[in-house]
Amino acid sequence: MGKNGRVATEPSTKRVAKSRARMSGRERREQLIGIGRSLFADKGFEGTTVEEIAQRAGVSKPVVYEHFGGKEGLYAVVVDREIERLLASITGALTSSLSSRQILEAAALALLDYIEDSTDGFRILVRDSPTGQATGSFASLISDIASQVEHILVAQFKSRRLDAKAAPMYAQMLVGMVALTGQWWLENSKVKKDEVAAHLVNLAWNGLTGLERNPIVSRH
């Protein structure tokens, strides 16, 4: 209570300033990453500005530049984290001691789990990466995952006396199919996750079992 009988209150700006002062450099960095992740998912890289990131964090633009060197640096950190999380999940499924079909099922579910649990992250990954950035694009992500799938297909091709040299190409096809279906499911989430995974594996597995040794394009 103040001398004049009124409750003494501290101006909101001072409270905010004190709150900012208590945030460590690491905490500030994580805050900016979270804000950037949300904005990139909602507006894309081009639609997001450093000014907006700073405004949401309640800091000046130089603070963003200090931590990340600019919007590109923040975007790269966000994308790298999402790719690491997704690859770890799928790689874990691919290295499990299951049958080949069960491994495909586990990998499909791992991707769908990621889409369900990290929707913002997936939206960022499927958007186009900044011009001139070689990594972090959806295509590079598919390529990384496909390289993990190759050994499954190589084993299957050899057991069926098919050309194992074609396995890397089929790995790209398989992962691309799963990833694009994941994009579709993102907008059609009423379809149950297990149902989506079951149909994906049904097409992939039964397609593999019926592969021709020397496929050709039939021209009419």
Side-chain angles (χ1 to χ4, degrees):
M1 188 78 65
K3 293 181 179 179
N4 57 4
R6 296 180 181 178
V7 177
T9 59
E10 186 178 29
S12 61
T13 54
K14 290 185 179 180
R15 288 199 301 270
V16 172
K18 287 187 176 182
S19 176
R20 292 175 186 169
R22 288 196 297 268
M23 187 175 289
S24 67
R26 182 175 182 178
E27 290 171 336
R28 177 68 69 197
R29 179 180 174 84
E30 290 302 317
Q31 179 205 32
L32 292 171
I33 291 173
I35 291 171
R37 183 177 184 271
S38 177
L39 286 171
F40 291 138
D42 184 41
K43 299 185 174 184
F45 177 81
E46 295 298 336
T48 301
T49 65
V50 172
E51 183 177 7
E52 187 172 12
I53 295 169
Q55 185 177 31
R56 287 205 183 185
V59 299
S60 61
K61 290 195 293 183
V63 174
V64 179
Y65 288 111
E66 178 184 348
H67 281 277
F68 302 100
K71 183 175 68 171
E72 293 80 5
L74 175 56
Y75 179 88
V77 171
V78 170
V79 169
D80 285 347
R81 285 192 177 189
E82 294 303 325
I83 288 178
E84 183 178 351
R85 178 179 177 182
L86 178 54
L87 284 178
S89 176
I90 293 180
T91 301
L94 296 177
T95 56
S96 57
S97 56
L98 301 171
S99 69
S100 294
R101 176 163 181 158
Q102 288 174 325
I103 289 176
L104 289 177
E105 290 174 351
L109 282 170
L111 175 61
L112 296 177
D113 283 341
Y114 170 79
I115 295 172
E116 184 176 56
D117 299 335
S118 186
T119 302
D120 279 355
F122 187 71
R123 288 188 187 279
I124 292 170
L125 293 180
V126 299
R127 289 180 184 273
D128 292 335
S129 58
T131 303
Q133 183 168 312
T135 60
S137 68
F138 194 44
S140 68
L141 174 64
I142 289 177
S143 181
D144 288 342
I145 297 175
S147 67
Q148 303 289 333
V149 176
E150 284 180 23
H151 73 278
I152 299 176
L153 298 188
V154 167
Q156 288 296 317
F157 275 41
K158 288 182 177 178
S159 69
R160 300 176 189 281
R161 296 182 180 180
L162 298 169
D163 183 8
K165 293 180 181 178
M169 178 171 59
Y170 279 89
Q172 293 283 342
M173 297 175 189
L174 178 61
V175 173
M177 178 181 73
V178 175
L180 289 173
T181 302
Q183 284 185 266
W184 171 85
W185 185 59
L186 186 63
E187 307 301 331
N188 296 271
S189 56
K190 290 183 179 180
V191 182
K192 293 182 179 179
K193 178 172 56 181
D194 286 358
E195 183 179 350
V196 176
H199 283 291
L200 272 169
V201 175
N202 182 38
L203 174 60
W205 185 257
N206 290 316
L208 288 172
T209 58
L211 285 181
E212 299 174 348
R213 291 189 180 182
N214 299 295
I216 60 172
V217 176
S218 177
R219 300 185 182 278
H220 299 283

